[in-house]
Amino acid sequence: MMAILMITVLFIAIFHFVYDGIVLPSIRQHLRNKLYALRDELRWLKINGIDHADNAAFELVHDAINTFANRLPMLTISVRQSFEREIKHNTQLQHIIETRTKTIKSCRNSDIQRIYAEVNNILETVYIANAGGWFIYIVPLAILLGTIKHIAAICGEIALMPTHQMNKLIPPPDRSLTC
């Protein structure tokens, strides 16, 4: 049993190493390239001329892309939790975010709004990808907890089963064979 546990832990560690060291950097680079493509598209909109009222939205989306393009590895669940705590306790930050959200929503250029939505989708994907190496630790734990909960429910039902039904499912032990 201990050997199986050690082999399982070794397999999980190898998976984590391969994912975090080989697969994840490639995923991040692909997503970074998507951000750069969106930034190029956004700049092309600006070159072709956007309405003066949409300049603020353009700047917000452009700055967001530039800010996150090289920070993708840092988008983790713990950073997200810190961000949520900061927003919850910092009313000035709440106001700034509300103002910027209104700027994006009031933008009349649908391409800028679409690019903003795509940037958000990329950042969500990055959060999931960055947490992906930990999923192999969480999934077995979730399965184990689910199984234990299911067994507990079954045991509660078995304890209340009538004896004659229990004897059909689990015949009583043959007392003549015991010491």
Side-chain angles (χ1 to χ4, degrees), residues 96-114:
I96 291 169
I97 291 173
E98 287 172 10
T99 304
R100 290 178 173 202
T101 302
K102 288 177 186 174
T103 301
I104 296 293
K105 287 184 179 180
S106 66
C107 177
R108 288 179 266 165
N109 189 316
S110 62
D111 287 327
I112 293 175
Q113 289 183 335
R114 177 187 52 79

Side-chain angles (χ1 to χ4, degrees), residues 8-18 136-137:
T8 303
V9 169
L10 179 65
F11 170 75
I12 291 171
I14 290 171
F15 172 83
H16 188 117
F17 172 77
V18 169
I136 195 163
Y137 298 102

